[in-house]
Amino acid sequence: MRELRLRFDRLLLLGFLILLDRPIGTLSSIHEYYNQGFAPRSESFFFHGGSEGLYASQVHGTPNTSDSISEGKAPVKGRSFIRFESVIFRRTKESAARQNKMHPKTGLVEAIIVEIKDRDKIGGGSLDSDAICCTSELAHDTSCKLGEVIIHNPERPNWPRRIQTHFQGDEEEIKMVPQTVDIDSTGMYYLYFMFCDPDLKGTVITGKTIWRNPEGYLPGKMAPLMTFYGLMSLAYLILGLLWFLQFMRHWRDILQLHYHITAVVALGMCEMAFWYFEYANFNSTGSRPMGITIWAVTFTAVKKTVSRLLLLVVSMGYGVVRPTLGGITSKVALLGVIYFVASEALELIEHLGNINDFSGKAKLFLVLPVALLDACFILWIFSSLSKTLEKLQIRRIMAKLELYRKFTNSLAISVLLSVAWIGYELYFNATDPLSELWRRAWIIPAFWNVLSYLLLLVICILWAPSNNPTRYAYSEDTGDDFDEEGVPLTGSSTKASGDMLSKLERKERKTVSSTDHVFGLGEDLEEDKRE
């Protein structure tokens, strides 16, 4: 029972360390350090050197340690590793002055590589369950060595991997020997630089480590997204070709709304293509290409903004029951501009900022405005849809009413799916604080791209160009115009519009031919005739 309690205490201790210093993301597979200090934890000092999901090597052997990205030499394909390059530890002058310059070892710094499932193998002891460093008492009681980090794993004595670097004499600076650690097991790996000597307090680290998966430098969480963006690029290309053919086939009967839909389809094609090339470049070089990333981020922000504006103006009946947005045009444009600025800022920080220094509060500060603006869009969209449906139902314009019912049902389903997925995201993040489920993390961002594509597909089907768009296009003779405040449901209003409705229905019977069926909407013709 005591042994179980000690193991549980050690697990909590290391888990606490990982949670406190877990980076929010990764800027690249080249983790660089710039005179960064060590943080005190328990009786030790440590620096978090990075964490990534890594797949096991597909080939084995010792790679050439001089094979460096900075030298432009490609590593052996199929190999997964963590490489230490130009890592330098620098202690304070006061610390160095206290040492004897004749001693070969006057300070120890250790690099510890641990797979998350083996986190309970670090720290602990029979005398003190919270110990990270080996004290004189623990050295007599256990097999640990005085001044070292305690690692106990009888099944694998050399794992978690420990790499030691000693200061020499009274030197202020020591360089870590360049070396490569092969990864032979798939998992989430954490790297910590640690020391137990209190005389080394104030030591800083400079240099870099390079992390590689068998197929390239993309972190394990991101690797499936490169394939996903490639498939999404193909999906948008197919949709774009079909839309373009239909657009050119009926170019004489194109509505203004069709140009807005075309813009969203084109933006989606560019966005997915840029993200695919960005990930492909990242995978081959190990760092994010600044130019491509900025373009991808910008296209994402523009597409998100234009997509929401498209949903809004469609919900208002633009081009169907009203020729213009009238006095609310400026409000719609202002909301779009604000949303673009907020979305662009968040995307830039997430993909180009210094992720390790990007605190949770700072991220929350940027996420909240985007979330609030999304809520504003949703409320405005459904409010406008309600007024549009009310207007069409009063005047019994059946073809347009059926069109908007289908659109409303599709939008409602997408909102329900979004709410359910947000709940799943919260559950996923709450139950996986240490990223142990990293191989499934890619589906979180992928879902939103798929949902956006499907909703755009529905709009393309419902509002597809045809040679007879009068069934769902605005006509001055029908008196479709109405103000943004809605139409009152009163008997007098219905009576006053009776003659106009009769004229409208007669006109629709004359102008619509039985051959003009647009993606399933043509069946409304028979219904109108019976009425």
Side-chain angles (χ1 to χ4, degrees):
M1 187 69 180
R2 174 178 171 80
E3 182 180 355
L4 287 175
R5 184 179 64 81
L6 293 178
R7 288 176 64 85
F8 180 72
D9 288 342
R10 291 195 296 267
L11 182 64
L12 286 179
L13 176 62
L14 191 61
F16 175 73
L17 296 179
I18 293 175
L19 282 173
L20 284 179
D21 287 83
R22 178 189 178 200
I24 296 175
T26 178
L27 183 61
S28 70
S29 287
I30 304 175
H31 295 259
E32 297 183 318
Y33 323 119
Y34 303 97
N35 290 321
Q36 292 172 276
F38 288 67
R41 290 290 184 273
S42 187
E43 76 281 12
S44 65
F45 296 81
F46 76 100
F47 171 76
H48 186 191
S51 59
E52 286 185 20
L54 296 174
Y55 292 93
S57 294
Q58 299 172 357
V59 295
H60 300 282
T62 304
N64 184 359
T65 57
S66 65
D67 180 19
S68 167
I69 293 181
S70 60
E71 296 171 353
K73 300 178 182 178
V76 178
K77 291 184 179 180
R79 190 178 304 281
S80 181
F81 58 77
I82 300 174
R83 177 182 300 152
F84 297 84
E85 286 192 1
S86 306
V87 178
I88 298 174
F89 305 105
R90 186 176 294 105
R91 58 183 172 182
T92 63
K93 294 181 179 180
E94 294 78 9
S95 175
R98 288 193 291 267
Q99 307 302 327
N100 189 325
K101 63 180 180 180
M102 300 302 294
H103 288 179
K105 298 180 180 180
T106 57
L108 171 64
V109 181
E110 298 180 279
I112 309 292
I113 301 174
V114 58
E115 190 179 352
I116 196 64
K117 68 179 183 180
D118 295 325
R119 58 187 179 273
D120 61 333
K121 307 299 184 183
I122 297 180
S126 59
L127 299 179
D128 186 356
S129 62
D130 290 338
I132 290 291
C133 297
C134 186
T135 63
S136 57
E137 294 178 340
L138 292 175
H140 287 90
D141 186 67
T142 65
S143 59
C144 68
K145 295 182 180 179
L146 181 64
E148 294 183 355
V149 174
I150 301 173
I151 296 179
H152 57 95
N153 190 1
E155 295 81 11
R156 298 178 64 189
N158 295 324
W159 191 262
R161 182 66 178 270
R162 181 204 310 265
I163 302 174
Q164 296 183 335
T165 303
H166 292 272
F167 283 95
Q168 305 292 322
D170 60 354
E171 292 180 348
E172 296 180 19
E173 183 178 291
I174 187 67
K175 184 176 181 179
M176 185 177 180
V177 176
Q179 55 187 293
T180 300
V181 177
D182 277 333
I183 302 299
D184 57 7
S185 175
T186 299
M188 173 60 69
Y189 288 84
Y190 282 76
L191 168 63
Y192 288 96
F193 296 95
M194 306 180 68
F195 62 82
C196 298
D197 187 353
D199 286 340
L200 294 179
K201 184 177 181 180
T203 298
V204 296
I205 181 174
T206 301
K208 65 181 179 181
T209 55
I210 300 170
W211 305 53
R212 190 184 192 277
N213 271 295
E215 301 300 328
Y217 291 99
L218 272 177
K221 280 185 177 182
M222 302 171 65
L225 285 174
M226 185 174 72
T227 302
F228 170 77
Y229 285 128
L231 294 175
M232 286 301 299
S233 298
L234 181 61
Y236 270 99
L237 179 61
I238 294 173
L239 177 60
L241 288 175
L242 293 176
W243 179 263
F244 178 75
L245 291 175
Q246 192 75 357
F247 190 95
M248 295 304 297
R249 182 183 174 189
H250 304 289
W251 67 273
R252 294 180 182 274
D253 302 294
I254 293 301
L255 306 176
Q256 190 67 30
L257 184 62
H258 291 143
Y259 292 100
H260 294 276
I261 298 175
T262 303
V264 176
V265 174
L267 287 170
M269 292 173 58
C270 294
E271 178 196 15
M272 293 298 106
F274 271 112
W275 278 121
Y276 174 77
F277 287 117
E278 197 264 0
Y279 273 57
N281 192 290
F282 188 179
N283 191 51
S284 62
T285 64
S287 59
R288 310 195 82 150
M290 184 73 69
I292 299 178
T293 304
I294 291 177
W295 277 106
V297 164
T298 302
F299 269 103
T300 297
V302 172
K303 184 226 174 184
K304 288 170 65 177
T305 303
V306 176
S307 298
R308 282 154 178 76
L309 292 177
L310 175 64
L311 290 175
L312 181 58
V313 299
V314 166
S315 301
M316 290 177 174
Y318 173 68
V320 179
V321 295
R322 64 190 335 167
T324 66
L325 298 180
I328 59 174
T329 303
S330 58
K331 296 179 182 178
V332 173
L334 179 61
L335 180 60
V337 170
I338 295 174
Y339 186 86
F340 169 75
V341 172
S343 180
E344 178 80 356
L346 178 61
E347 294 285 341
L348 284 174
I349 292 297
E350 284 188 335
H351 293 94
L352 293 177
N354 190 345
I355 304 299
N356 289 327
D357 294 335
F358 189 40
S359 68
K361 291 183 179 179
K363 185 175 182 179
L364 184 64
F365 178 77
L366 293 172
V367 168
L368 278 178
V370 176
L372 291 174
L373 290 170
D374 275 327
C376 291
F377 268 113
I378 292 174
L379 291 175
W380 201 352
I381 287 171
F382 278 99
S383 174
S384 300
L385 270 176
S386 176
K387 294 175 183 178
T388 302
L389 288 171
E390 181 183 19
K391 155 75 181 220
L392 295 173
Q393 190 167 10
I394 291 174
R395 299 190 175 185
R396 298 185 60 80
I397 308 175
M398 303 310 296
K400 296 180 182 179
L401 180 61
E402 184 64 20
L403 176 72
Y404 268 87
R405 280 176 177 169
K406 291 181 179 180
F407 174 66
T408 303
N409 291 338
S410 302
L411 196 59
I413 291 173
S414 69
V415 171
L416 291 176
L417 289 175
S418 299
V419 172
W421 193 255
I422 290 173
Y424 173 74
E425 279 192 50
L426 294 174
Y427 170 79
F428 184 89
N429 293 325
T431 56
D432 187 37
L434 303 180
S435 297
E436 294 178 272
L437 303 177
W438 56 276
R439 278 179 283 187
R440 295 190 312 196
W442 68 274
I443 66 174
I444 300 296
F447 171 83
W448 297 110
N449 285 287
V450 172
L451 183 63
S452 176
Y453 177 82
L454 292 177
L455 196 55
L456 178 60
L457 179 62
V458 169
I459 293 177
C460 289
I461 292 175
L462 293 179
W463 274 272
S466 71
N467 57 8
N468 190 13
T470 55
R471 298 268 301 170
Y472 53 88
Y474 172 79
S475 174
E476 293 181 1
D477 295 337
T478 64
D480 284 345
D481 239 351
F482 66 103
D483 59 34
E484 61 185 278
E485 298 302 323
V487 178
L489 288 169
T490 61
S492 60
S493 174
T494 304
K495 182 177 180 180
S497 61
D499 295 338
M500 183 64 72
L501 290 174
S502 299
K503 293 179 181 179
L504 170 64
E505 292 174 1
R506 287 196 299 270
K507 181 177 180 178
E508 288 189 337
R509 292 192 192 101
K510 293 178 181 179
T511 55
V512 181
S513 65
S514 59
T515 58
D516 289 317
H517 292 255
V518 182
F519 292 93
L521 295 179
E523 64 267 22
D524 294 330
L525 175 62
E526 298 300 327
E527 182 181 350
D528 290 349
K529 287 181 178 179
R530 289 195 298 270
E531 294 178 359

